[in-house]
Amino acid sequence: MTEICNEVNLMIPPLVTIKVSDITFVKQVRSLFLKRKTSQFDYLQDEIANSAALLSRLMARRKNSFHNMNGFKFLCKLNTALSRLLKLDVENRLSNFYQMLPDSSSYNHHEVPSRNSFDYILLRLMSVHKIYQRIAYCCLESATYFNKLLRNNFFMETITLFLAVIAKLWDLTNKLGNTYSEFYEKLMPFRKHFPQVDSQNSFKNVDFPKELERFSIKPTAHIEIDKDPAQVNSIRMDKEFVNTTPIPVVSVLQKLQKEEDFGMPISRESLKPVIDLSRIHNVDDIREFFKDEDAKRQKCLDSCATKYVLKHEWLAIQKLVERKIIANDHKKALSVFRKFITSKT
């Protein structure tokens, strides 16, 4: 069973439709497929695809720096599991099976897919569940390692990005994994209603569980992996962190108010801009401003509004504005003057 579940390129059984006497269960199966495809589910699918693409780009950028680190090996395994999830393409398989089900207009034909096709869908749901377990395990292991590096101040910016992407993948994995688990449990009771052809039963030796293991939203303290190498890593998601005694919070606000000197309050009037451009409406105002500033710059440069403007810049803006005025382009002269003053003050 485990080997079949792990096969990504599992052969699709031949499509065989069989006539049945009672077809009412098909309506319930179709409603389950329709209710599963919500806007929230589509959003989570797009987010995990974008996060996986971002992770692969970050790994390609820093592969030379981290390729000898043990934590980076778990990151490579995480990327491999995400690629395997994309290759599985379980949504396309589910969509194909849904189209095989008769709709309301064809209920009188009393033909439904065989149990062989339905078992294939259940196997694909089990496969995607195992892959999500593998992704969750790699997220925990790589995040634990990068957290140790972060405490030692190694590659602060890069590791922060890695941890952010890993945390997002962990959250999306738990939500989507539970979605597939619930969908599997809802489909499982209808397996007995699909007709079976003994000569074409490809999964007669497969043991289908009644329910799949749920994912825990919170990180777990213990991760148990099956020792059998022929089986996929199985994560037990039911053991959460042990609650520790909370650290008491001591308020130090009163002590700071008594002992610390917070200085003198600053008036908001001093934060206003020195040059009020709203008073400059025409070229005459600009010339008057240049004249006053020239006088102030000659006496004391630190006391004038244009003290951060260099001497050659001040002469250049005056020549440029005067050239626009001579060309009778007063609007352009005002625009050039305002942009220059705004950029320098």
Side-chain angles (χ1 to χ4, degrees):
M1 186 271 291
T2 305
E3 294 181 356
I4 296 178
C5 185
N6 282 337
E7 292 183 8
V8 178
N9 298 321
L10 182 63
M11 294 296 295
I12 303 176
L15 173 60
V16 178
T17 56
I18 304 174
K19 290 185 179 181
V20 294
S21 58
D22 186 11
I23 203 173
T24 55
F25 72 95
V26 178
K27 297 180 180 180
Q28 302 179 16
V29 175
R30 287 181 62 89
S31 64
L32 289 177
F33 274 86
L34 291 175
K35 292 179 181 179
R36 187 183 66 92
K37 295 291 289 184
T38 61
S39 58
Q40 178 67 16
F41 180 81
D42 294 337
Y43 171 76
L44 294 177
Q45 289 283 350
D46 295 339
E47 284 297 307
I48 197 171
N50 296 333
S51 301
L54 178 58
L55 179 66
S56 63
R57 295 189 187 101
L58 291 174
M59 290 176 58
R61 291 289 299 271
R62 301 314 300 263
K63 185 176 181 180
N64 293 333
S65 303
F66 295 157
H67 69 281
N68 286 328
M69 295 183 178
N70 294 328
F72 192 77
K73 295 179 181 179
F74 283 106
L75 208 61
C76 294
K77 295 179 181 179
L78 173 60
N79 187 47
T80 303
L82 291 169
S83 301
R84 191 181 181 90
L85 179 66
L86 181 62
K87 185 179 180 180
L88 188 64
D89 195 15
V90 67
E91 288 300 320
N92 191 21
R93 309 300 183 192
L94 294 176
S95 178
N96 292 339
F97 181 80
Y98 174 75
Q99 295 174 4
M100 291 164 52
L101 297 174
D103 55 7
S104 57
S105 61
S106 59
Y107 282 153
N108 54 352
H109 294 289
H110 292 201
E111 290 187 357
V112 297
S114 63
R115 185 181 299 181
N116 209 26
S117 299
F118 188 73
D119 288 346
Y120 176 80
I121 295 301
L122 295 179
L123 278 174
R124 293 294 84 180
L125 292 176
M126 294 168 60
S127 300
V128 74
H129 179 264
K130 291 292 183 180
I131 293 177
Y132 276 126
Q133 284 186 331
R134 179 65 175 175
I135 293 173
Y137 168 73
C138 294
C139 283
L140 287 177
E141 290 296 328
S142 56
T144 302
Y145 183 81
F146 283 130
N147 189 29
K148 295 178 181 178
L149 294 181
L150 192 64
R151 292 178 181 176
N152 295 327
N153 298 327
F154 291 146
F155 303 99
M156 293 282 293
E157 297 83 359
T158 305
I159 291 179
T160 302
L161 288 176
F162 274 121
L163 287 175
V165 177
I166 292 171
K168 189 172 184 179
L169 286 171
W170 162 265
D171 181 64
L172 294 172
T173 297
N174 291 332
K175 292 178 180 179
L176 287 172
N178 287 332
T179 301
Y180 284 106
S181 300
E182 294 173 1
F183 186 57
Y184 176 89
E185 294 173 9
K186 292 178 181 178
L187 288 180
M188 192 59 191
F190 296 99
R191 182 173 180 264
K192 60 183 179 181
H193 296 288
F194 284 88
Q196 182 177 359
V197 180
D198 294 335
S199 61
Q200 297 179 356
N201 189 5
S202 304
F203 313 114
K204 57 183 179 180
N205 297 325
V206 178
D207 183 18
F208 293 94
K210 294 184 179 180
E211 59 183 16
L212 299 178
E213 195 172 6
R214 295 297 181 90
F215 290 81
S216 175
I217 300 300
K218 296 181 180 180
T220 56
H222 302 284
I223 304 174
E224 298 180 4
I225 307 175
D226 295 337
K227 297 182 179 180
D228 188 0
Q231 296 183 355
V232 180
N233 293 333
S234 176
I235 304 175
R236 302 192 59 83
M237 311 299 287
D238 54 347
K239 299 180 181 179
E240 299 184 356
F241 281 124
V242 181
N243 295 328
T244 57
T245 305
I247 301 175
V249 180
V250 181
S251 177
V252 295
L253 181 59
Q254 297 180 355
K255 184 177 180 180
L256 287 176
Q257 290 178 347
K258 293 180 180 179
E259 299 180 359
E260 297 291 338
D261 184 11
F262 291 100
M264 184 180 298
I266 302 175
S267 175
R268 291 182 179 269
E269 297 296 330
S270 62
L271 302 178
K272 294 182 179 180
V274 179
I275 302 176
D276 189 3
L277 295 177
S278 61
R279 296 183 180 181
I280 299 176
H281 304 286
N282 48 45
V283 295
D284 294 333
D285 295 338
I286 297 177
R287 286 174 172 172
E288 187 66 25
F289 176 80
F290 282 152
K291 183 179 179 180
D292 294 342
E293 283 298 310
D294 282 335
K296 293 179 180 179
R297 290 173 69 91
Q298 291 179 2
K299 292 182 180 179
C300 182
L301 183 61
D302 295 334
S303 62
C304 59
T306 58
K307 61 181 180 179
Y308 297 109
V309 181
L310 301 179
K311 184 177 180 180
H312 69 277
E313 294 177 341
W314 181 248
L315 296 176
I317 188 61
Q318 292 188 58
K319 290 181 181 179
L320 180 59
V321 172
E322 191 65 27
R323 192 180 304 129
K324 298 295 182 182
I325 295 174
I326 295 173
N328 203 19
D329 194 356
H330 294 183
K331 186 177 181 180
K332 187 65 175 179
L334 278 169
S335 177
V336 171
F337 173 78
R338 291 178 183 274
K339 290 180 180 180
F340 179 79
I341 296 299
T342 304
S343 64
K344 295 297 181 180
T345 58

